[in-house]
Amino acid sequence: MLLKLIGGCIVIGSGYLFGLSFSETYLKRIKELKLLRKNLLIITNHISYARMSLGEAMEEVALKSKEPFITFFESISKDINAYDSGTIVEIFANNAKKYLKGSNLTTTDIEKLIGFAEILGYLDADLQVKNAKLYLSELEADINELEADANGKCKVYKCLCTAVGIFITIIII
């Protein structure tokens, strides 16, 4: 009986830790989206005010960013400056699949980022900046929505996973 009690406690504790892991992943996604917003704002400002080329702007952002975006923007900068890596959308898509796969960003977040690359393909810097500001406002809305739901979702993750642990414990005992 003592062994069952210890096993039950381990299962319930594991369920709680699993929920904690889910909630941490959710919060890390919000942090990464905020970092992405900051990086894209810097790129937009470099294009708008410093009149840098896209490759130079990406290189500057890579120097100031944090992982997983350092290698992502460095690689994009190198590919753009190589001139033989394809279109900007292809460069973004290939590097996103390669470097952002292990991040906490969802596939929808990455697809939206690749969509952002489509507007960077225009030759006119002013049009790039205007469209980038539109994307940044959409990203801001996504972040605000995630932050508004964060507290509730994190509690649900922890409670639900703990409840599953309790349910499994009841079945086993």
Side-chain angles (χ1 to χ4, degrees), residues 11-12 162-172:
V11 170
I12 293 170
T162 303
V164 168
I166 291 170
F167 178 70
I168 291 172
T169 301
I170 290 171
I171 290 175
I172 291 174

Side-chain angles (χ1 to χ4, degrees), residues 23-37 104-105 109 142-151 154:
S23 63
E24 286 297 316
T25 301
Y26 187 84
L27 295 174
K28 285 180 184 177
R29 177 180 173 219
I30 294 172
K31 285 181 183 177
E32 286 182 7
L33 284 174
K34 285 181 177 181
L35 182 60
L36 178 63
R37 178 190 61 201
N104 293 300
L105 300 177
D109 297 333
D142 289 345
I143 291 170
N144 289 338
E145 183 180 331
L146 289 171
E147 284 181 329
D149 295 342
N151 198 22
C154 289

Side-chain angles (χ1 to χ4, degrees), residues 118-130:
E118 291 177 10
I119 61 174
L120 290 178
Y122 295 116
L123 296 176
D124 183 18
D126 293 330
L127 189 58
Q128 287 179 358
V129 170
K130 287 178 184 177

Side-chain angles (χ1 to χ4, degrees), residues 16 45 54-55 68 102 131 158 165:
Y16 176 77
N45 289 339
L54 189 57
N131 286 325
K158 292 174 194 172

